[in-house]
Amino acid sequence: MPLKNPPLSLYIHTPWCVRKCPYCDFNSHERGELPEAAYLRALLADLDQDLPLIGDRTVETVFIGGGTPSLLSGDFYRQLFQGIRQRLVLSEQAEITLEANPGTVEAGRFAGFREAGINRLSIGVQSFNNTHLQALGRIHDASAAIQAAHQAREAGFTTFNLDIMHALPGQTRAQALDDLQQAMALQPTHLSWYELTIEPNTVFFRSPPDQPSPDHMADTEQEGFALLASQGYQRYEVSAFARDGHACRHNLNYWQFGDYLGIGAGAHGKITDTRHGTIHRYQKTRKPEDYLADAQQARRQYHPVAREDRLFEALMNGLRLVEGVRLQTVEDNTGLPAAQWTHYLGELQQQGLLEITDQRVHCTEKGMHHLNGVLARLAEALS
């Protein structure tokens, strides 16, 4: 069956930070003074090169990630969104998120972001324990994190996220739950609460910290999930919790195999071409200096998503959601009718890991708890 255009998002990457955290494997680079004017020109030139990929499609969500996007000024974002709106159709109800780190936002800067059209913040708190923040290499302390949340609300942000980690070096269960309590006391509309994972090409990978045991982590998670639910934060994705109506629409588009343009150094994108029946992913020039030097021809590395891989990618993403993914969404976004593939999931269903109805497929509570294993078995079943 033919492909249909899924919702379209825009991701913007800002590759600079004050100091690289020892757990970070993102494309981020330490730098003092930022080349705002040059990067603004580069981003808009990059976007110009991508416009033929989307025609007149409307962009529903924007996410500005990094690095540390809050290092750039409100005026930078005002000019950037002025340029974006001149080039493409941005929905009147667009969700526009910017990642911000406490300690990089002087008084008043949040107001500048809000005036630029940004309507959602994601604040990287990670912990309210100063010892743990130091172990994570963060440049802020607990008081700066609390102040950032208050500044967000004072600047007019009615929806914002706080990022909180657990399984930190030397962290007890009581300390992990205390971080959650302090986060919820700030009344964010969304919380990301996730385990510190050790990624390749990081300082922590070369010198692993002493983390709690897997059993300890699992017990902490269960207590944390109950605590979040008791305060009205509904778990809708593996590590995402939201008050009613405040789930991150941009991330939902990722998990539902939606399309997204990616601009900026090292940005990734995924685009469906319904005319040719193809889907491809791409990545932009990664090193900031090379990206700035070649803004008019930002090199793209294209990776077609083979027809046989579409299904696994769509399910791999969709099963991260507590509600799973609608069969119709998978059909529309992969071109593969449900009747052709649901039987491959029978064994996982029999093992109590998946549930399949005539409307959707989703992990059971057991399946969500063992999601990595489910995805590994899914890859085998579909290979």
Side-chain angles (χ1 to χ4, degrees), residues 69-107:
S70 53
L71 289 173
L72 294 160
S73 68
D75 189 58
F76 171 88
Y77 288 112
R78 180 187 61 78
Q79 294 181 70
L80 176 61
F81 279 99
Q82 183 179 48
I84 288 172
R85 292 178 187 277
Q86 290 171 349
R87 288 164 169 79
L88 51 72
V89 181
L90 192 58
S91 168
E92 291 183 4
Q93 291 78 41
E95 173 195 86
I96 304 176
T97 302
L98 179 137
E99 288 185 335
N101 282 342
T104 67
V105 185
E106 66 267 17

Side-chain angles (χ1 to χ4, degrees), residues 46-63:
D46 188 359
L47 179 58
D48 284 335
Q49 301 301 312
D50 277 2
L51 293 180
L53 299 175
I54 62 168
D56 60 356
R57 294 171 65 184
T58 298
V59 171
E60 304 292 343
T61 69
V62 181
F63 196 99

